[in-house]
Amino acid sequence: MLELSMYIDGEWRQGSGNGKREIINPANGEVIAQAAEGNVSDVRAAVQAAREAFDRGPWPGLSAEERAGYLLKAAAKIDERHDELAALETLDNGKPLREAGYDVSDAAACFRYYAGLIPAPHGETYTVPDNMQAMVIREPIGVCGLIVPWNYPLLMSVWKIAPALAAGNAIVYKPSELTPVTATKLFEILEETGLPKGVANMVMGAGETVGNEIAVSHGVDMISFTGGTDTGRRIMKAASGNMKKISLELGGKSPNIIFADADFESAVDYALFGIYAGAGQICSAGSRILVEESIKDAFVARFTERANKIRVGAGGDPETEMGPLVSQEQLDKVLRYIEIGKAEGAEIACGGFRLTGRDYDNGFFVAPTAFIDTEPGMRIVQEEIFGPVAVFQTFRDETEAVRLANETKYGLAGAVFTKDAARAMRVIKKVRAGITWVNTYHGTYNEAPWHGYKQSGIGSSLGTYGLDEFLETKQINFNLDGGPSGWFSG
Ligand code: NDP
């Protein structure tokens, strides 16, 4: 059994209220860890430590080379502990070991990417009247509150921590209450890099207490949040007290548009990957599959044939292709949506039930599920289910495909499958989403921004855009001849 502590002001601590939370393996319901449960006063202590480190400590003033050195050390240590971190991620989140391994490698690569951006030239100069020099410099914001969900516990944390530290900020970070295991390992790694105390703080606990306090605190200058759209809305309100800068990566209901001229097998393959990777618990999942009417029957037949063969099981089993849902609550939510879909009149094409039997009974497993005969207004078409549930929609032409694709409140991701390059470009440009693919799905790169349109978010992660989120912009106008303004005569 693992004992997980919080990390505040360079020390490992229990919560001041001595609360504990049991952490569950979603594959079998066993308790794998006891996590310290933080409260409002723990957040206040963490904010105070971060303020001290930022306002009076050496961290924001380090040279680029020195700061990049910490991030490179973190990357190397993540690589060294790759297998251990992947195994713990699988134990805590349930995802297959193969997926967890990719997350760990991506986490190390993300630290390296931002380490590489630190020494890059920043700022600008402007041509203004001769006696003045105008310039723009970039500065860290101060104390950043970072709040992440449970679906990529390590990777989502690094997507925020790496750019926040690269920019020279101090951080107060909160993992999901369900998945704090790799977060604590990441903080062990940050400690081993020798980061000055107070620069990186971690408080564990519930969103309504710990998360909310980070969002309302006047000691926090910026909040970067990844999670559900409704939580994002609450955070916006909570953050308004001191006009924090906010960056929100929220939910999605992303369209995967398949034209009749697409490479059939490849489109089926990516449609499966788009929705069932991560058991559908991916914000950018291709959860709405829009298929051209003329190939609908053949497409659904091949899709369901392959969906029924997906090997569902414990993430630690190397044979497993799809793991469990993260929690009993998430299982209940997904099963509830399956019932809603049936009640709305949609037909189940595959799955539609909780998996039972010796290997499944104590875990949170749902069969890969797909609905056909849907209508655009149905809740299963409009709302994020966040589980292995695809909804099929059909279209007759390009115009209808684009209209249906854009007909939700979300705008996170989208894909188009066709061999007609001009059509691919026409359609993808009209999809109102920040992350898009042509004849592929799910590939993400540290270099490119991760960004949601509409109610899928505000601001960006990753790329130079992701670094900009954690920087302020200052103009400096320098009087070169030192003379007076001459504005007033007296
Ligand atoms: P939630 O919105 O429930 O929670 C996300 C984080 O916010 C958790 O750490 C949670 O704490 C915390 N939180 C909850 N309530 C509050 C509050 N009032 N104030 C401050 N913090 C709070 O999302 P889930 O964890 O259920 O994750 C799934 C969601 O995340 C999906 O909607 C998914 O689309 C989205 N997501 C978006 C991504 C993107 O890049 N756009 C990427 C990954 C996921 P706790 O749970 O510990 O109580």
Side-chain angles (χ1 to χ4, degrees):
M1 169 92 65
L2 294 158
E3 292 288 337
L4 310 177
S5 306
M6 302 190 289
Y7 190 70
I8 299 173
D9 203 14
E11 281 174 15
W12 294 96
R13 295 192 194 171
Q14 292 305 302
S16 54
N18 274 324
K20 292 276 183 203
R21 184 185 290 267
E22 289 187 336
I23 306 302
I24 305 288
N25 176 351
N28 57 21
E30 282 173 9
V31 178
I32 52 167
Q34 293 277 356
E37 178 78 2
N39 59 23
V40 167
S41 48
D42 296 312
V43 176
R44 290 184 180 158
V47 171
Q48 203 181 340
R51 278 258 66 101
E52 186 63 28
F54 183 78
D55 294 334
R56 281 169 285 281
W59 176 248
L62 290 188
S63 72
E65 189 187 359
E66 281 174 301
R67 196 177 308 137
Y70 288 101
L71 274 73
L72 290 172
K73 271 192 216 158
K77 285 174 186 296
I78 290 172
D79 279 340
E80 271 167 32
R81 294 174 70 172
H82 179 279
D83 294 353
E84 175 205 349
L85 290 168
L88 288 173
E89 196 76 315
T90 290
L91 198 64
D92 194 7
N93 164 280
K95 61 177 65 188
L97 213 41
R98 180 173 61 159
E99 284 181 37
Y102 282 124
D103 293 359
V104 176
S105 300
D106 278 358
C110 186
F111 267 112
R112 270 193 297 275
Y113 171 74
Y114 280 108
L117 283 191
I118 298 173
H122 298 284
E124 294 140 28
T125 59
Y126 297 107
T127 306
V128 291
D130 261 0
N131 65 334
M132 297 289 276
Q133 176 62 56
M135 62 194 108
V136 167
I137 61 168
R138 311 303 307 277
E139 296 182 327
I141 292 177
V143 172
C144 299
L146 314 177
I147 301 176
V148 301
W150 43 259
N151 63 339
Y152 285 87
L154 179 70
L155 190 59
M156 283 301 113
S157 306
V158 172
W159 279 21
K160 296 190 186 306
I161 292 173
L165 294 180
N169 299 289
I171 61 169
V172 176
Y173 155 88
K174 185 193 104 59
S176 160
E177 65 187 60
L178 297 175
T179 54
V181 175
T182 49
T184 61
K185 301 295 152 194
L186 180 61
F187 272 72
E188 281 175 21
I189 285 171
L190 291 175
E191 183 182 43
E192 286 167 20
T193 66
L195 268 187
K197 93 187 172 78
V199 169
N201 304 277
M202 172 185 53
V203 186
M204 296 188 284
E208 302 82 56
T209 49
V210 169
N212 182 61
E213 180 61 20
I214 296 172
V216 295
S217 171
H218 285 215
V220 175
D221 304 298
M222 185 263 186
I223 192 132
S224 175
F225 166 79
T226 297
T229 294
D230 289 339
T231 315
R233 231 185 295 282
R234 278 198 289 280
I235 286 183
M236 274 179 95
K237 284 192 191 134
S240 66
N242 65 332
M243 294 291 170
K244 279 181 195 62
K245 185 173 175 185
I246 48 173
S247 177
L248 307 172
E249 302 290 335
L250 308 174
K253 190 77 181 178
S254 300
N256 190 357
I257 307 166
I258 295 155
F259 284 94
D261 70 346
D263 180 296
F264 185 83
E265 283 300 324
S266 175
V268 170
D269 189 67
Y270 276 113
L272 291 159
F273 182 53
I275 180 61
Y276 300 132
Q281 303 168 113
I282 300 182
C283 50
S284 52
S287 48
R288 290 187 295 135
I289 306 174
L290 278 58
V291 183
E292 192 164 351
E293 187 76 52
S294 60
I295 60 160
K296 179 203 128 203
D297 291 341
F299 196 93
V300 171
R302 182 71 178 132
F303 179 96
T304 52
E305 181 196 346
R306 287 195 57 191
N308 287 329
K309 289 186 190 150
I310 290 175
R311 293 193 296 265
V312 183
D317 178 345
E319 296 293 303
T320 292
E321 294 176 321
M322 192 181 101
L325 297 172
V326 76
S327 64
Q328 180 71 49
E329 193 187 349
Q330 194 63 17
L331 173 71
D332 293 343
K333 179 183 164 193
V334 170
L335 293 176
R336 210 164 44 240
Y337 267 110
I338 291 173
E339 290 313 311
I340 289 170
K342 289 190 216 163
E344 285 178 316
E347 286 293 321
I348 297 264
C350 61
F353 49 86
R354 178 180 185 174
L355 289 165
T356 52
R358 193 169 55 88
D359 293 338
Y360 296 126
D361 282 348
N362 295 324
F364 313 125
F365 296 93
V366 169
T369 298
F371 278 104
I372 52 171
D373 297 342
T374 64
E375 294 295 333
M378 288 178 173
R379 287 185 62 192
I380 55 163
V381 177
Q382 292 297 323
E383 296 175 19
E384 185 182 48
I385 299 174
F386 224 56
V389 182
V391 293
F392 277 97
Q393 298 179 266
T394 54
F395 61 87
R396 279 176 300 273
D397 57 26
E398 221 174 285
T399 310
E400 190 179 21
V402 169
R403 182 174 59 72
L404 290 172
N406 290 331
E407 235 173 43
T408 75
K409 67 181 180 183
Y410 294 111
L412 189 60
V416 58
F417 284 77
T418 172
K419 286 191 186 132
D420 179 339
R423 171 153 69 189
M425 200 63 199
R426 273 196 310 273
V427 171
I428 214 69
K429 282 184 72 180
K430 288 191 183 131
V431 171
R432 302 284 300 152
I435 305 143
T436 64
W437 297 280
V438 175
N439 295 333
T440 183
Y441 211 94
H442 272 325
T444 311
Y445 306 97
N446 286 316
E447 293 79 2
W450 185 268
H451 173 89
Y453 284 21
K454 293 155 71 178
Q455 294 188 34
S456 289
I458 297 175
S460 302
S461 296
L462 298 182
T464 55
Y465 299 80
L467 184 63
D468 286 347
E469 296 288 325
F470 292 101
L471 288 165
E472 292 279 22
T473 304
K474 175 183 282 176
Q475 61 166 293
I476 302 176
N477 300 301
F478 202 122
N479 181 349
L480 296 179
D481 63 22
S485 72
W487 188 263
F488 297 108
S489 54

CSV table of all heavy atoms in Angstrom, one decimal, residues 147-151 156 174-177 205-208 211-212 225-228 231 234-235 249-252 283 384 386 412 450 456, ligand 1:
chain,number,residue,atom,x,y,z
A,147,ILE,N,-4.7,22.9,-12.1
A,147,ILE,CA,-5.6,21.9,-11.7
A,147,ILE,C,-5.9,20.9,-12.9
A,147,ILE,O,-6.2,21.4,-14.0
A,147,ILE,CB,-7.0,22.6,-11.3
A,147,ILE,CG1,-6.7,23.6,-10.1
A,147,ILE,CG2,-8.0,21.5,-10.8
A,147,ILE,CD1,-7.9,24.3,-9.7
A,148,VAL,N,-5.7,19.6,-12.6
A,148,VAL,CA,-5.8,18.7,-13.7
A,148,VAL,C,-6.8,17.5,-13.4
A,148,VAL,O,-7.1,17.3,-12.3
A,148,VAL,CB,-4.4,18.1,-14.0
A,148,VAL,CG1,-3.4,19.1,-14.4
A,148,VAL,CG2,-3.9,17.2,-12.9
A,149,PRO,N,-7.3,16.9,-14.5
A,149,PRO,CA,-8.2,15.8,-14.3
A,149,PRO,C,-7.5,14.4,-14.2
A,149,PRO,O,-6.3,14.4,-14.1
A,149,PRO,CB,-9.0,15.8,-15.6
A,149,PRO,CG,-8.0,16.3,-16.6
A,149,PRO,CD,-7.0,17.1,-15.9
A,150,TRP,N,-8.3,13.3,-14.2
A,150,TRP,CA,-7.8,12.0,-13.9
A,150,TRP,C,-7.4,11.2,-15.2
A,150,TRP,O,-6.9,10.1,-15.1
A,150,TRP,CB,-8.8,11.2,-13.1
A,150,TRP,CG,-10.2,11.3,-13.6
A,150,TRP,CD1,-11.2,12.1,-13.0
A,150,TRP,CD2,-10.8,10.7,-14.7
A,150,TRP,NE1,-12.3,12.1,-13.8
A,150,TRP,CE2,-12.2,11.2,-14.8
A,150,TRP,CE3,-10.4,9.8,-15.7
A,150,TRP,CZ2,-13.1,10.8,-15.8
A,150,TRP,CZ3,-11.3,9.4,-16.7
A,150,TRP,CH2,-12.6,9.9,-16.7
A,151,ASN,N,-7.8,11.7,-16.4
A,151,ASN,CA,-7.6,10.8,-17.5
A,151,ASN,C,-6.2,10.6,-18.0
A,151,ASN,O,-5.8,9.6,-18.6
A,151,ASN,CB,-8.6,11.2,-18.7
A,151,ASN,CG,-8.3,12.6,-19.2
A,151,ASN,OD1,-7.6,13.4,-18.6
A,151,ASN,ND2,-8.7,12.8,-20.4
A,156,MET,N,-1.1,15.3,-18.3
A,156,MET,CA,-1.8,16.6,-18.2
A,156,MET,C,-1.1,17.5,-17.1
A,156,MET,O,-1.0,18.7,-17.3
A,156,MET,CB,-3.2,16.4,-17.7
A,156,MET,CG,-4.2,16.0,-18.7
A,156,MET,SD,-4.3,17.1,-20.1
A,156,MET,CE,-3.6,16.0,-21.4
A,174,LYS,N,-2.8,20.9,-8.2
A,174,LYS,CA,-3.7,19.9,-7.6
A,174,LYS,C,-4.0,18.8,-8.6
A,174,LYS,O,-4.6,19.0,-9.7
A,174,LYS,CB,-5.0,20.5,-7.2
A,174,LYS,CG,-5.9,19.6,-6.5
A,174,LYS,CD,-7.3,20.0,-6.3
A,174,LYS,CE,-8.3,19.4,-7.2
A,174,LYS,NZ,-8.4,17.9,-7.1
A,175,PRO,N,-3.6,17.5,-8.3
A,175,PRO,CA,-4.0,16.4,-9.1
A,175,PRO,C,-5.5,16.1,-8.9
A,175,PRO,O,-6.1,16.6,-7.9
A,175,PRO,CB,-3.2,15.3,-8.7
A,175,PRO,CG,-2.9,15.6,-7.2
A,175,PRO,CD,-2.9,17.1,-7.1
A,176,SER,N,-6.1,15.3,-9.7
A,176,SER,CA,-7.5,14.8,-9.4
A,176,SER,C,-7.4,14.0,-8.2
A,176,SER,O,-6.5,13.2,-7.9
A,176,SER,CB,-7.9,13.9,-10.6
A,176,SER,OG,-9.0,13.1,-10.2
A,177,GLU,N,-8.5,14.1,-7.4
A,177,GLU,CA,-8.6,13.3,-6.1
A,177,GLU,C,-8.5,11.8,-6.4
A,177,GLU,O,-8.2,11.0,-5.6
A,177,GLU,CB,-9.9,13.6,-5.4
A,177,GLU,CG,-11.1,13.2,-6.1
A,177,GLU,CD,-12.4,13.7,-5.5
A,177,GLU,OE1,-12.6,14.9,-5.3
A,177,GLU,OE2,-13.2,12.9,-5.1
A,205,GLY,N,-6.5,16.6,-2.8
A,205,GLY,CA,-7.8,16.8,-2.2
A,205,GLY,C,-8.9,17.1,-3.2
A,205,GLY,O,-8.7,17.0,-4.4
A,206,ALA,N,-10.1,17.4,-2.7
A,206,ALA,CA,-11.3,17.5,-3.5
A,206,ALA,C,-11.3,18.8,-4.3
A,206,ALA,O,-10.8,19.8,-3.8
A,206,ALA,CB,-12.5,17.4,-2.7
A,207,GLY,N,-11.9,18.8,-5.4
A,207,GLY,CA,-12.1,20.0,-6.2
A,207,GLY,C,-12.9,21.1,-5.5
A,207,GLY,O,-12.5,22.3,-5.6
A,208,GLU,N,-13.9,20.7,-4.8
A,208,GLU,CA,-14.8,21.8,-4.2
A,208,GLU,C,-14.1,22.5,-3.1
A,208,GLU,O,-14.5,23.6,-2.8
A,208,GLU,CB,-16.1,21.2,-3.7
A,208,GLU,CG,-17.0,20.4,-4.7
A,208,GLU,CD,-16.5,19.0,-4.9
A,208,GLU,OE1,-16.4,18.3,-3.9
A,208,GLU,OE2,-16.2,18.7,-6.0
A,211,GLY,N,-9.5,22.7,-4.9
A,211,GLY,CA,-9.5,23.3,-6.2
A,211,GLY,C,-10.1,24.7,-6.1
A,211,GLY,O,-9.6,25.6,-6.6
A,212,ASN,N,-11.2,24.8,-5.4
A,212,ASN,CA,-11.9,26.0,-5.3
A,212,ASN,C,-11.0,27.1,-4.6
A,212,ASN,O,-11.0,28.2,-5.0
A,212,ASN,CB,-13.2,25.9,-4.6
A,212,ASN,CG,-14.0,27.2,-4.5
A,212,ASN,OD1,-14.4,27.7,-5.5
A,212,ASN,ND2,-14.2,27.7,-3.3
A,225,PHE,N,-6.4,25.3,-16.0
A,225,PHE,CA,-7.3,24.2,-15.6
A,225,PHE,C,-7.6,23.3,-16.8
A,225,PHE,O,-7.9,23.8,-17.9
A,225,PHE,CB,-8.6,24.8,-15.1
A,225,PHE,CG,-9.7,23.8,-14.9
A,225,PHE,CD1,-9.8,22.9,-13.8
A,225,PHE,CD2,-10.7,23.7,-15.9
A,225,PHE,CE1,-10.8,22.0,-13.7
A,225,PHE,CE2,-11.8,22.8,-15.8
A,225,PHE,CZ,-11.8,21.9,-14.7
A,226,THR,N,-7.6,22.0,-16.5
A,226,THR,CA,-8.1,21.1,-17.5
A,226,THR,C,-9.2,20.2,-16.8
A,226,THR,O,-8.9,19.7,-15.8
A,226,THR,CB,-7.0,20.2,-18.1
A,226,THR,OG1,-6.1,21.0,-18.8
A,226,THR,CG2,-7.5,19.2,-19.1
A,227,GLY,N,-10.3,20.1,-17.5
A,227,GLY,CA,-11.4,19.3,-16.9
A,227,GLY,C,-12.7,19.6,-17.6
A,227,GLY,O,-12.7,20.0,-18.8
A,228,GLY,N,-13.8,19.3,-16.9
A,228,GLY,CA,-15.1,19.4,-17.6
A,228,GLY,C,-15.5,20.9,-17.8
A,228,GLY,O,-15.1,21.8,-17.1
A,231,THR,N,-17.2,22.5,-14.7
A,231,THR,CA,-16.2,22.9,-13.7
A,231,THR,C,-15.5,24.2,-14.1
A,231,THR,O,-15.2,25.1,-13.3
A,231,THR,CB,-15.2,21.8,-13.4
A,231,THR,OG1,-15.9,20.5,-13.3
A,231,THR,CG2,-14.4,22.0,-12.2
A,234,ARG,N,-17.4,27.2,-13.3
A,234,ARG,CA,-17.3,27.5,-11.9
A,234,ARG,C,-15.9,28.2,-11.6
A,234,ARG,O,-15.8,29.1,-10.8
A,234,ARG,CB,-17.4,26.2,-11.0
A,234,ARG,CG,-18.9,25.8,-10.8
A,234,ARG,CD,-19.0,24.9,-9.6
A,234,ARG,NE,-18.5,23.5,-9.9
A,234,ARG,CZ,-19.1,22.6,-10.6
A,234,ARG,NH1,-20.3,22.9,-11.1
A,234,ARG,NH2,-18.6,21.5,-10.9
A,235,ILE,N,-14.9,27.7,-12.2
A,235,ILE,CA,-13.5,28.2,-11.9
A,235,ILE,C,-13.4,29.7,-12.5
A,235,ILE,O,-12.9,30.5,-11.8
A,235,ILE,CB,-12.5,27.3,-12.5
A,235,ILE,CG1,-12.4,26.1,-11.7
A,235,ILE,CG2,-11.1,28.0,-12.7
A,235,ILE,CD1,-11.4,25.1,-12.0
A,249,GLU,N,-8.8,24.2,-20.5
A,249,GLU,CA,-8.9,23.1,-21.5
A,249,GLU,C,-10.1,22.3,-21.1
A,249,GLU,O,-10.0,21.6,-20.0
A,249,GLU,CB,-7.7,22.3,-21.5
A,249,GLU,CG,-6.4,23.1,-21.8
A,249,GLU,CD,-6.3,23.6,-23.2
A,249,GLU,OE1,-7.0,23.0,-24.1
A,249,GLU,OE2,-5.6,24.6,-23.5
A,250,LEU,N,-11.2,22.3,-21.9
A,250,LEU,CA,-12.4,21.7,-21.4
A,250,LEU,C,-12.9,20.5,-22.2
A,250,LEU,O,-12.1,19.8,-22.9
A,250,LEU,CB,-13.5,22.8,-21.3
A,250,LEU,CG,-13.1,24.0,-20.5
A,250,LEU,CD1,-14.1,25.1,-20.6
A,250,LEU,CD2,-12.7,23.7,-19.0
A,251,GLY,N,-14.1,20.2,-22.1
A,251,GLY,CA,-14.7,19.0,-22.8
A,251,GLY,C,-14.8,19.0,-24.3
A,251,GLY,O,-14.6,20.0,-24.9
A,252,GLY,N,-15.3,17.9,-24.8
A,252,GLY,CA,-15.5,17.9,-26.3
A,252,GLY,C,-16.6,16.8,-26.6
A,252,GLY,O,-17.0,16.0,-25.8
A,283,CYS,N,-10.5,13.8,-23.9
A,283,CYS,CA,-11.3,15.0,-24.2
A,283,CYS,C,-11.6,15.1,-25.7
A,283,CYS,O,-12.6,15.6,-26.2
A,283,CYS,CB,-10.7,16.2,-23.6
A,283,CYS,SG,-9.0,16.3,-24.1
A,384,GLU,N,-21.1,15.3,-23.6
A,384,GLU,CA,-19.9,14.5,-23.5
A,384,GLU,C,-20.1,13.3,-22.5
A,384,GLU,O,-20.5,13.5,-21.3
A,384,GLU,CB,-18.8,15.4,-22.9
A,384,GLU,CG,-17.4,14.7,-22.9
A,384,GLU,CD,-16.3,15.5,-22.3
A,384,GLU,OE1,-16.6,16.1,-21.2
A,384,GLU,OE2,-15.3,15.6,-22.9
A,386,PHE,N,-17.8,10.7,-22.1
A,386,PHE,CA,-16.5,10.4,-21.6
A,386,PHE,C,-16.4,8.9,-21.2
A,386,PHE,O,-16.0,8.5,-20.1
A,386,PHE,CB,-16.2,11.3,-20.4
A,386,PHE,CG,-14.8,11.8,-20.4
A,386,PHE,CD1,-14.3,12.5,-21.5
A,386,PHE,CD2,-13.9,11.6,-19.3
A,386,PHE,CE1,-13.0,13.0,-21.5
A,386,PHE,CE2,-12.6,12.1,-19.3
A,386,PHE,CZ,-12.2,12.8,-20.4
A,412,LEU,N,-13.7,21.2,-29.7
A,412,LEU,CA,-12.3,20.8,-29.3
A,412,LEU,C,-11.5,20.2,-30.5
A,412,LEU,O,-10.5,20.7,-30.8
A,412,LEU,CB,-12.3,19.8,-28.1
A,412,LEU,CG,-10.9,19.6,-27.5
A,412,LEU,CD1,-10.3,20.8,-27.0
A,412,LEU,CD2,-11.0,18.5,-26.4
A,450,TRP,N,-2.6,23.1,-28.3
A,450,TRP,CA,-3.8,22.3,-28.0
A,450,TRP,C,-4.8,23.3,-27.5
A,450,TRP,O,-4.6,23.9,-26.5
A,450,TRP,CB,-3.4,21.3,-26.9
A,450,TRP,CG,-4.5,20.3,-26.6
A,450,TRP,CD1,-5.5,20.5,-25.6
A,450,TRP,CD2,-4.8,19.1,-27.2
A,450,TRP,NE1,-6.3,19.4,-25.6
A,450,TRP,CE2,-5.9,18.5,-26.5
A,450,TRP,CE3,-4.1,18.3,-28.2
A,450,TRP,CZ2,-6.4,17.3,-26.9
A,450,TRP,CZ3,-4.7,17.1,-28.5
A,450,TRP,CH2,-5.8,16.6,-27.9
A,456,SER,N,-15.2,24.6,-25.5
A,456,SER,CA,-14.1,23.6,-25.2
A,456,SER,C,-12.9,24.3,-24.6
A,456,SER,O,-11.9,23.6,-24.3
A,456,SER,CB,-13.8,22.8,-26.4
A,456,SER,OG,-14.8,21.9,-26.8
B,1,NDP,P1,-13.6,17.7,-13.6
B,1,NDP,O1,-14.0,19.0,-14.2
B,1,NDP,O2,-14.6,17.0,-12.7
B,1,NDP,O3,-12.3,17.8,-12.6
B,1,NDP,C1,-11.1,18.3,-13.1
B,1,NDP,C2,-10.3,18.8,-12.0
B,1,NDP,O4,-10.9,20.0,-11.4
B,1,NDP,C3,-10.1,17.8,-10.9
B,1,NDP,O5,-8.8,18.0,-10.3
B,1,NDP,C4,-11.2,18.3,-9.9
B,1,NDP,O6,-11.0,17.9,-8.6
B,1,NDP,C5,-11.1,19.8,-10.0
B,1,NDP,N1,-12.4,20.4,-9.6
B,1,NDP,C6,-13.6,20.0,-9.5
B,1,NDP,N2,-14.5,20.9,-9.1
B,1,NDP,C7,-13.7,22.0,-8.9
B,1,NDP,C8,-14.0,23.4,-8.4
B,1,NDP,N3,-15.2,23.7,-8.1
B,1,NDP,N4,-13.0,24.2,-8.3
B,1,NDP,C9,-11.7,23.9,-8.7
B,1,NDP,N5,-11.4,22.6,-9.1
B,1,NDP,C10,-12.4,21.7,-9.2
B,1,NDP,O7,-13.1,16.7,-14.7
B,1,NDP,P2,-12.8,15.2,-14.6
B,1,NDP,O8,-11.6,15.1,-13.6
B,1,NDP,O9,-14.0,14.4,-14.4
B,1,NDP,O10,-12.1,15.0,-16.1
B,1,NDP,C11,-12.9,14.8,-17.2
B,1,NDP,C12,-13.1,16.1,-17.9
B,1,NDP,O11,-11.9,16.7,-18.3
B,1,NDP,C13,-13.8,15.9,-19.2
B,1,NDP,O12,-14.9,16.8,-19.4
B,1,NDP,C14,-12.8,16.1,-20.3
B,1,NDP,O13,-13.2,16.4,-21.5
B,1,NDP,C15,-11.9,17.1,-19.7
B,1,NDP,N6,-10.6,17.1,-20.2
B,1,NDP,C16,-10.2,18.1,-21.1
B,1,NDP,C17,-9.0,18.0,-21.8
B,1,NDP,C18,-8.6,19.1,-22.7
B,1,NDP,O14,-7.4,19.2,-23.0
B,1,NDP,N7,-9.5,19.9,-23.2
B,1,NDP,C19,-8.0,17.0,-21.5
B,1,NDP,C20,-8.5,16.0,-20.5
B,1,NDP,C21,-9.7,16.1,-19.9
B,1,NDP,P3,-11.4,16.4,-8.1
B,1,NDP,O15,-11.9,15.6,-9.2
B,1,NDP,O16,-10.2,15.9,-7.5
B,1,NDP,O17,-12.5,16.6,-7.0
